[in-house]
Amino acid sequence: MDTDRSDEDFDVVALTKANANQLNAADIASGAVTVRVTGVKNNKSADGRQPIAVSVDGGYKPWMPCLTVRRLLIKVWGNPKTWKGRRVTLYNDPEVNYGKDRTGGIRVSHVSDITRAVKVTLPVRRGVYQEYTILPMDSDPVGRSEPARTVAPT
């Protein structure tokens, strides 16, 4: 029996994807991705922490934005019912905390349908606020991969 598989092609990216029902920060750890929103629905099975599921193109699992990102998107885009067709650049921010642990998380750097940068100050935890800047999407095609780390909390 020949077990030498050294000549086979392996999808290395597929080997690194998390086994989950949603897009995770680890799925985009290699760089930012720009995706188009294909739908937004109520996440009825959620425990209340992620009440919406955002379907995106590019072969990614549904993205369930955290509270901070939902607040940012509502500030720049308004009602989630209007998000379909819009583009957003997502990146893995390694500074995001989940409870007391620094786990990394998905943040937004650029969005379509705005004409200038938008700054929003939001609570990080009780008594601590942080300013976030969302930049307008330029005419780059969907799928660009350069990180946009400079627009993380300012």
Side-chain angles (χ1 to χ4, degrees):
M1 172 183 228
D2 183 16
T3 58
D4 182 17
R5 298 181 180 197
S6 61
D7 60 343
E8 290 184 25
D9 289 328
F10 289 99
D11 182 356
V12 178
V13 174
L15 297 174
T16 63
K17 289 188 178 179
N19 184 15
N21 64 348
Q22 68 182 30
L23 181 65
N24 291 303
D27 296 331
I28 57 172
S30 62
V33 295
T34 298
V35 294
R36 185 174 309 278
V37 174
T38 59
V40 180
K41 66 181 181 177
N42 189 4
N43 188 20
K44 294 177 184 163
S45 64
D47 61 3
R49 292 185 184 158
Q50 298 171 309
I52 63 171
V54 179
S55 300
V56 296
D57 67 0
Y60 294 100
K61 295 175 185 173
W63 168 45
M64 298 179 193
C66 67
L67 178 59
T68 297
V69 172
R70 288 193 311 269
R71 287 175 171 165
L72 289 170
L73 291 175
I74 289 168
K75 175 70 175 173
V76 298
W77 280 348
N79 191 316
K81 292 178 181 179
T82 67
W83 297 359
K84 186 175 180 178
R86 296 180 179 189
R87 294 181 300 141
V88 59
T89 299
L90 307 174
Y91 70 99
N92 178 0
D93 180 355
E95 302 299 314
V96 171
N97 292 327
Y98 184 74
K100 294 181 180 180
D101 299 323
R102 181 159 288 164
T103 60
I106 298 175
R107 293 290 193 223
V108 170
S109 62
H110 296 73
V111 299
S112 65
D113 300 273
I114 62 172
T115 57
R116 60 181 173 76
V118 177
K119 293 185 181 215
V120 181
T121 301
L122 295 171
V124 176
R125 61 186 171 276
R126 188 174 301 212
V128 178
Y129 291 81
Q130 202 163 42
E131 184 177 78
Y132 295 87
T133 302
I134 303 298
L135 299 175
M137 185 77 60
D138 57 17
S139 59
D140 282 355
V142 170
R144 73 176 177 193
S145 61
E146 74 274 5
R149 307 221 190 297
T150 58
V151 295
T154 52

